[in-house]
Amino acid sequence: MTKLLVVRLSALGDVIHTIPAVVALRERYDDIAWAVETPYRELVEIVAKVKAIPVSLKKWSLTNVNDARKNVRGFDVAIDFQGLIKSALLARVSGAKERIGFAQKHIKEKPAAWFLTREVNIDASKHVVDWNLQLAGVTTMPEVDFAPFATGELDSGGAVILLPGAGRPEKIWPAERFRALAQRLGDRALVVWGPGEEERARAIGARMTPKTSLRELAKLLKTASLVIGGDTGPLHLADALGTKVIGLHGPTNPRRNGPYSQLHRCISTYGTTKRMESIEVDDVLAMIE
């Protein structure tokens, strides 16, 4: 039996975008494990239905590196969906003789390709979900069900969820714009926030959810009538759950990084200023209508 190691460590949106490729790979491999950052362990196991190998490599330490190295050994094939030096190193120390990844021109950290035995050229004009499918050698999108992941007592009650945070400052829509939008939405607005985002969320001045786990967040997103936010993991999770979304894009290209099944519901300045500040409240209200 051929043992396959999948490497895509983080972040939330990237893990979500990798899941379809891994689901498709289950048809070719009976034994698949996925090296992923600990917070996404349940997501991988419940939705992709493969074994998760939790690692903690966001913060480098000798202990974390040694633990990861011990846990990823004994594989025949490794596919690096991340294209970073640390992900390529994990593939290398897994013992896999066949190590597959994106061609060097497609990855951020070019030396990562040195650890591969096979580089795959892909059509870079497509969405990152399609990148991952191409890397896996898949031609059709498999059926993926995220619904079992959305559990918990919290329910948004059909609210319009606002996501004020993002992984990088340049992807954040100004809080005053969210505040003006919330005022127009009235009682329908509900602000959902994550680690380090509470102050920004409070500045919007609308109803806020309590601190949530990832699965509670999924339940809130699934029960919303609409989710509005930038290029951030929760927006992609909402899209994967089948909830209507509006994606706000400035520095990232929605054709590559937008909500995969709802690219027509993106407001983008990528082709002009690439600035989130260039997106007006009226632009969002028009899209809502």
Side-chain angles (χ1 to χ4, degrees):
M1 181 183 295
T2 303
K3 297 182 67 176
L4 170 67
L5 175 69
V6 167
V7 185
R8 176 77 235 195
L9 306 175
S10 63
L12 176 59
D14 298 307
V15 172
I16 290 167
H17 289 155
T18 306
I19 284 175
V22 178
V23 169
L25 285 167
R26 294 200 333 247
E27 294 189 3
R28 300 209 307 264
Y29 296 92
D30 295 321
D31 193 345
I32 302 177
W34 185 337
V36 68
E37 288 285 336
T38 301
Y40 312 119
R41 176 179 186 168
E42 284 189 311
L43 178 62
V44 162
E45 293 184 335
I46 293 171
V47 181
K49 297 181 181 177
V50 299
K51 177 186 176 183
I53 300 176
V55 300
S56 298
L57 293 178
K58 277 196 170 183
K59 294 183 178 180
W60 283 87
S61 74
L62 186 58
T63 299
N64 289 349
V65 171
N66 284 337
D67 287 345
R69 184 173 59 184
K70 291 175 185 176
N71 292 333
V72 299
R73 288 177 175 170
F75 290 88
D76 304 299
V77 181
I79 303 180
D80 177 13
F81 286 93
Q82 191 139 9
L84 298 180
I85 292 172
K86 63 182 178 181
S87 59
L89 278 171
L90 276 185
R92 176 67 179 84
V93 301
S94 73
K97 292 184 179 179
E98 185 178 10
R99 300 182 299 278
I100 305 164
F102 294 110
Q104 190 176 56
K105 63 183 178 182
H106 299 308
I107 59 178
K108 182 178 180 180
E109 297 182 358
K110 305 302 183 185
W114 300 346
F115 299 96
L116 303 175
T117 61
R118 178 155 65 94
E119 297 181 37
V120 177
N121 281 302
I122 50 94
D123 182 353
S125 68
K126 293 184 175 294
H127 193 281
V128 68
V129 169
D130 298 308
W131 285 38
N132 293 328
L133 291 172
Q134 291 175 75
L135 180 58
V138 177
T139 56
T140 57
M141 180 76 173
E143 291 187 9
V144 185
D145 186 8
F146 280 78
F149 185 71
T151 62
E153 299 298 324
L154 296 176
D155 191 306
S156 65
V160 177
I161 286 181
L162 308 180
L163 302 172
R168 302 202 311 264
E170 64 270 23
K171 295 198 293 184
I172 293 175
W173 200 41
E176 59 269 21
R177 302 279 173 87
F178 269 117
R179 183 166 58 248
L181 177 61
Q183 289 171 351
R184 297 288 293 273
L185 292 171
D187 292 339
R188 290 186 294 165
L190 178 64
V191 182
V192 172
W193 52 281
E197 298 172 355
E198 184 173 5
E199 183 178 350
R200 175 174 292 275
R202 290 192 182 282
I204 295 173
R207 286 190 300 144
M208 290 174 54
T209 62
K211 185 178 181 181
T212 63
S213 68
L214 187 54
R215 296 189 70 176
E216 289 170 334
L217 168 65
K219 178 65 176 294
L220 286 167
L221 297 172
K222 190 177 188 307
T223 55
S225 61
L226 176 66
V227 177
I228 303 172
D231 179 11
T232 183
L235 186 84
H236 297 298
L237 181 55
D239 177 51
L241 287 163
T243 303
K244 290 181 180 179
V245 305
I246 294 177
L248 309 179
H249 286 258
T252 56
N253 185 354
R255 289 181 58 190
R256 180 188 184 278
N257 298 95
Y260 186 68
S261 64
Q262 301 181 66
L263 297 182
H264 59 294
R265 294 197 176 110
C266 290
I267 300 171
S268 174
T269 60
Y270 181 77
T272 54
T273 66
K274 291 184 170 61
R275 294 174 60 85
M276 296 295 285
E277 294 85 351
S278 299
I279 299 174
E280 301 291 345
V281 174
D282 284 343
D283 299 329
V284 182
L285 289 168
M287 180 69 76
I288 291 173
E289 293 302 322

